[in-house]
């Protein structure tokens, strides 16, 4: 006797939704073989049914009433792929209340409303599966929620935003500037028309927030940790980093330091031999350190139609065979249940890369090192390209000065930065990047 079909409602038939619909309709027999029951796409909600699409479904399946799909008693599972907070929150809550399991790729929604949604899932005894919300096709949620059960995760270091990584790779390898590279990323479909959430670090920070909840049981929203994007980087910094043996990557870090959780998303210098530094183009990578397993590393396409759809379908299959965890207990923690307090930003200790534009005249170096020294920041190395000779009486030329520091606290660095800003020999803005050895 065949098991009853899993009846699916899909909300959103855009980039990812079209990939999901395509796999479900073109590979129905493969899905049935793997789950032992047919998986049937029954209804699809969109904003505009007349829009031309990558993959179309019969007109009679389509509606613009997403809430009606979420509450349809003839559906078992709802896939939310519209993105954003509203009306996605209302749709997910309505689906759970109507007794349906939910699959979503919406990291912004889970990051902002996770506790409320997971509490609602628990109340209804239903699952919210969200593998596709972090790192596209890499099954990192499954790894953290299931495969790492025997471990206390010690550290997560990851590239979680493929758009930023593509831009940094292009700038470094082609020597192109930031603005023209963003345009190219848009033309190739790696960046949205408005790429700000990708390039300002928000997208990676939302994903890190979800990973940290699973790995450490800590609920930290991006406003609570350092989030810096790649949008202020200069090509010169990528070149100087290379001279020093490093590559610059938008690195998302969550790590335990003396039982406190340190979190940040920042452009970071990483030794060029490190696999994270070698991750190119729109790829993502996640390196996890567990106290039992040691280091494991996962990499793959972090976004895109089919890699993301592949994770959505994996969640759907888990739901179909009853393997989806009914809720993810660590994603609806109250603050009192958290296991590790967040490390205060000022206490974070690491090395830094500093790049200044200075007037080439006596005492400049001494003035800068004096400020750093008074704040207990010591120098590891210095690069200063030679300036052209100028005639006596002519204005001093401006030259770059790059300093690598030894480890110091972020608080010391911020204090030094205040003092450095007052030095008249420093010209224009300067750059400070974290270094991860
Ligand atoms: N794109 C990726 O590579 C990727 C990777 C990982 C995760 N995600 C996540 O996946 C989700 C979907 O992303 P996407 O790139 O597929 O977005 P998208 O291309 O903008 O598609 C959004 C879809 O939602 C529909 N929609 C929007 N508001 C609606 C409403 N109120 N009622 C009914 N339908 C509505 C749109 O309808 P119309 O087509 O009629 O406008 C469209 O079909 C987001 O949460 C995103 O963060 C995306």
């Amino acid at each position: 006797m065949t098991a009853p079909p899993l009846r699916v409602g899909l909300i959103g038939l855009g980039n990812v939704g079209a990939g999901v619909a395509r796999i479900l309709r073109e590979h129905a027999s493969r899905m049935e073989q793997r789950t032992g029951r047919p998986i049937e796409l029954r209804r699809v909600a969109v904003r505009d049914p007349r829009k031309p699409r990558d993959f179309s479904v019969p007109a009679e399946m389509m509606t613009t009433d997403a809430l009606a799909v979420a509450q349809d008693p003839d559906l078992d599972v709802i896939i939310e792929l519209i993105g954003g907070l509203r009306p996605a929150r209302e749709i997910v809550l309505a689906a759970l209340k109507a007794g349906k399991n939910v699959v979503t790729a919406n990291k912004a929604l889970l990051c902002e409303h996770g506790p409320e949604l997971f509490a609602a899932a628990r109340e209804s005894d239903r699952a919210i599966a969200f593998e596709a919300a972090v790192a596209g096709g890499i099954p990192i949620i499954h790894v953290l929620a299931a495969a790492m059960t025997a471990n206390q995760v010690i550290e997560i270091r990851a590239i979680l935003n493929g758009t930023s990584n593509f831009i940094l790779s292009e700038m470094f390898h082609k020597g192109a500037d930031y603005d023209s590279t963003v345009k190219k990323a848009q033309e190739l479909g790696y960046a949205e028309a408005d790429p700000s959430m990708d390039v300002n670090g928000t997208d990676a920070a939302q994903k890190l927030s979800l990973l940290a909840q699973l790995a450490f049981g800590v609920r930290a929203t991006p406003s609570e940790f350092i989030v810096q994007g790649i949008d202020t980087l200069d090509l010169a910094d990528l070149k100087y980093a290379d001279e020093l043996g490093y590559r610059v990557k938008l690195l998302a870090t969550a790590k335990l330091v003396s039982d406190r959780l340190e979190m940040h998303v920042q452009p970071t210098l990483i030794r060029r031999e490190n696999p994270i530094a070698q991750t190119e183009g729109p790829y993502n990578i996640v390196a996890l350190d567990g106290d039992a397993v040691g280091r494991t590393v996962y990499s793959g396409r972090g976004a895109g139609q089919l890699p993301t759809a592949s994770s959505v379908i994996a969640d759907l299959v888990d739901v179909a065979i009853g393997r989806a965890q009914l809720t993810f207990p660590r994603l609806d923690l109250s603050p009192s249940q958290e296991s590790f307090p967040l490390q205060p930003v000022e206490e974070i200790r690491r090395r830094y890369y500093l790049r200044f534009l200075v007037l080439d005249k006596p005492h400049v170096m001494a003035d800068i090192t004096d400020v750093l020294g008074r704040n207990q920041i010591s120098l590891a190395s210095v690069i200063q390209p030679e300036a052209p000779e100028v005639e006596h009486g002519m204005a001093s030329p401006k030259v770059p000065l790059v300093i690598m520091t030894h480890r110091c606290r972020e608080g010391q660095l911020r204090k030094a930065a205040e003092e450095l800003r007052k030095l008249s020999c420093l010209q224009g803005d300067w750059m400070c990047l974290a270094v991860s050895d």
Side-chain angles (χ1 to χ4, degrees):
M1 202 177 78
T2 329
L6 184 81
R7 300 161 305 172
V8 178
L10 175 63
I11 302 182
L13 193 62
N15 192 17
V16 182
V20 169
R22 181 187 292 277
I23 295 175
L24 286 181
R25 291 188 56 92
E26 290 182 354
H27 300 293
S29 59
R30 189 197 288 171
M31 295 294 112
E32 186 172 347
Q33 238 174 21
R34 295 195 178 160
T35 58
R37 64 192 287 200
I39 299 185
E40 292 177 0
L41 180 60
R42 294 270 178 101
R43 293 186 78 185
V44 178
V46 293
R47 234 173 345 205
D48 176 4
R50 282 157 308 174
K51 210 165 155 180
R53 298 180 186 277
D54 281 5
F55 183 80
S56 39
V57 295
E60 60 275 16
M61 259 191 196
M62 304 265 268
T63 173
T64 53
D65 191 345
L67 212 53
V69 175
Q71 293 168 325
D72 186 339
D74 292 328
L75 297 175
D76 304 306
V77 51
I78 297 301
I79 306 178
E80 181 278 306
L81 291 173
I82 65 174
L85 302 181
R86 302 252 134 71
R89 171 180 165 271
E90 288 67 27
I91 288 168
V92 171
L93 286 172
L96 292 168
K97 197 156 176 233
K100 295 169 205 328
N101 293 300
V102 171
V103 175
T104 179
N106 193 335
K107 69 239 139 198
L109 178 71
L110 296 179
C111 189
E112 184 70 26
H113 296 297
E116 180 192 16
L117 298 178
F118 283 95
R122 179 167 299 174
E123 205 163 290
S124 312
D125 216 16
R126 288 293 173 269
I128 301 176
F130 56 98
E131 186 63 76
V134 183
I138 307 174
I140 197 65
I141 300 297
H142 182 80
V143 168
L144 282 173
M148 294 290 278
T149 306
N151 291 260
Q152 171 58 58
V153 176
I154 309 293
E155 181 175 62
I156 300 172
R157 294 205 310 157
I159 293 175
L160 295 173
N161 185 269
T163 307
S164 297
N165 203 53
F166 172 81
I167 293 170
L168 291 177
S169 292
E170 284 287 303
M171 285 173 72
F172 178 72
H173 290 295
K174 310 257 167 78
D177 65 23
Y178 174 78
D179 290 332
S180 64
T181 311
V182 171
K183 271 204 196 91
K184 183 169 178 188
Q186 286 166 326
E187 282 159 19
L188 290 172
Y190 292 137
E192 305 278 331
D194 175 6
S196 44
M197 302 271 277
D198 289 319
V199 297
N200 71 14
T202 306
D203 174 86
Q206 288 173 339
K207 292 168 179 168
L208 183 68
S209 170
L210 292 178
L211 294 184
Q213 284 185 60
L214 282 171
F216 304 102
V218 172
R219 204 171 88 73
T221 54
S223 61
E224 294 169 84
F225 52 91
I226 302 175
V227 181
Q228 185 189 345
I230 61 160
D231 42 357
T232 55
L233 274 185
D234 197 293
L235 180 58
D237 296 308
L238 309 191
K239 298 291 177 199
Y240 289 127
D242 186 45
E243 272 183 50
L244 291 157
Y246 294 84
R247 296 287 309 275
V248 180
K249 295 288 173 186
L250 184 63
L251 188 69
T253 306
K255 67 172 177 182
L256 289 180
V257 180
S258 310
D259 285 339
R260 286 177 184 268
L261 185 66
E262 175 179 321
M263 287 177 73
H264 29 85
V265 171
Q266 287 178 290
T268 303
L269 273 70
I270 303 168
R271 283 229 153 265
R272 66 162 89 86
E273 311 74 57
N274 189 308
I276 297 176
Q278 292 168 7
T279 301
E280 303 284 5
Y283 278 76
N284 282 189
I285 185 164
V286 184
L288 293 181
D289 283 3
D291 61 357
V293 72
R295 176 156 305 169
T296 54
V297 180
Y298 312 84
S299 71
R301 283 196 176 269
Q305 184 174 73
L306 291 178
T308 310
S310 146
S311 288
V312 170
I313 300 281
D315 276 345
L316 200 58
V317 166
D318 278 353
V319 169
I321 61 182
R323 194 169 58 191
Q325 290 179 304
L326 279 193
T327 57
F328 281 91
R330 287 174 143 193
L331 281 172
D332 58 353
L333 289 172
S334 69
S336 61
Q337 291 170 289
E338 287 177 359
S339 8
F340 304 104
L342 268 189
Q343 177 81 291
V345 170
E346 282 70 20
E347 295 302 319
I348 293 174
R349 273 176 63 81
R350 57 229 169 132
R351 300 176 62 211
Y352 292 93
Y353 158 102
L354 306 171
R355 193 233 330 133
F356 307 99
L357 188 63
V358 298
L359 290 176
D360 187 29
K361 60 179 196 178
H363 302 300
V364 167
M365 188 71 188
D367 289 348
I368 293 173
T369 52
D370 182 46
V371 170
L372 296 177
R374 270 189 281 113
N375 287 284
Q376 283 87 48
I377 301 172
S378 58
L379 276 55
S381 64
V382 175
I383 306 180
Q384 182 167 34
E386 243 181 54
E389 282 297 317
V390 291
E391 295 296 324
H392 182 70
M394 302 271 288
S396 308
K398 294 171 190 170
V399 287
L401 172 67
V402 175
I403 292 177
M404 293 285 277
T405 74
H406 283 298
R407 281 160 72 83
C408 66
R409 282 186 299 105
E410 176 86 17
Q412 291 168 286
L413 186 87
R414 292 185 175 194
K415 203 157 159 290
E418 273 171 37
E419 293 179 39
L420 286 168
R421 260 178 224 115
K422 295 178 193 148
L423 292 182
S424 61
C425 60
L426 295 194
Q427 304 289 296
D429 290 339
W430 46 281
M431 181 59 73
C432 172
L433 299 174
V435 179
S436 172
D437 284 308

